[in-house]
Amino acid sequence: MKTAERWLSDPTRVPHPRTREEVATALGVSADVLWPKVVRSTVKTGPDREIVSAYPYRNACPTSVWAGLIDGASRRICFAGYTNYFLWQDHPRLADRLKRKGEDGCSIRFILGDPDSEVTRRREEVEGVPLTVGTRIRITLDALSKLRGTPGIESKFSDEHIALSVFTFDDQMLVTPHISNLLGHESPMLHLRRLGDDGLYDRFAAHVTALWENGRPVPP
């Protein structure tokens, strides 16, 4: 009885899940009715309901998540990372997988930084690592050269996403805002799923669309 009195007198006190279910069954009502605050705290509402997962570092996201998104997409994929270098390292036979998707009608776009641009040079000075930004971009360009002529696969240069990487897979995406002088894998990442108009997904998707429309063709 005293325990029940404490539940009633202090709305912040909530019994364990099993106890909640037992009490609800005894009273013949839903546990959600008795403790609505629990529902509000566990069920996402508003814009953040499009957030599937959040990772403190990009490389904290399991490779299986990336693989599932890549292999599961059938309509459109866009890799809007400044170098996209890590993709070829983390995903064996990625080129073959993308080639099959392109041939099956999936639109696949790469938006890369220009390895010879001033933006790239300045970023190399900030990072100060042996495997330079320009080198990482050229590794991606080399991989894409082997896919030249594959239907559906396109690429462009842009200097406007040095601090924000967005990777889209149909109605899901992975977003990495780059922090200061940290490398891409050291920055946080969000996994988003589109659930409505003008949500988080749509805002980042509009950014990617603008990058593509303002991008420069990658020369042969």
Side-chain angles (χ1 to χ4, degrees), residues 19 85 89 122 199:
T19 303
Y85 161 77
Q89 313 306 308
R122 290 199 302 269

Side-chain angles (χ1 to χ4, degrees), residues 6 12 19 31 39 46 49 58 66 78 83 97 119 134 137-138 142 163 165 177 181 183-184 198 205 208:
R6 285 196 292 269
T12 64
T19 303
V39 177
R49 67 195 180 99
R58 189 188 69 200
W66 285 89
C78 184
T83 73
R97 291 153 68 189
V119 173
I137 294 172
R138 290 186 177 92
D142 179 67
S165 295
N181 63 334
L183 299 179
D198 203 32
V208 172

Side-chain angles (χ1 to χ4, degrees), residues 2-68:
K2 289 183 179 180
T3 300
E5 289 177 352
R6 285 196 292 269
W7 292 342
L8 295 173
S9 61
D10 185 356
T12 64
R13 297 179 66 91
V14 178
H16 293 294
R18 183 175 178 180
T19 303
R20 292 201 302 268
E21 292 302 323
E22 291 175 348
V23 172
T25 300
L27 296 177
V29 297
S30 170
D32 299 346
V33 174
L34 296 172
W35 292 283
K37 186 175 180 179
V38 176
V39 177
R40 290 195 298 270
S41 64
T42 57
V43 177
K44 293 180 179 180
T45 60
D48 65 341
R49 67 195 180 99
E50 292 197 330
I51 301 176
V52 177
S53 300
Y55 302 93
Y57 308 95
R58 189 188 69 200
N59 63 357
C61 177
T63 304
S64 59
V65 171
W66 285 89

Side-chain angles (χ1 to χ4, degrees), residues 159-193:
D159 300 321
E160 300 175 8
H161 62 310
I162 187 70
L164 178 66
S165 295
V166 181
F167 309 92
T168 63
F169 313 91
D170 288 347
D171 291 333
Q172 297 190 63
M173 67 170 49
L174 299 171
V175 179
T176 295
H178 297 270
I179 296 178
S180 184
N181 63 334
L182 298 182
L183 299 179
H185 68 271
E186 299 174 302
S187 294
M189 191 179 73
L190 296 176
H191 179 183
L192 306 179
R193 176 182 286 111

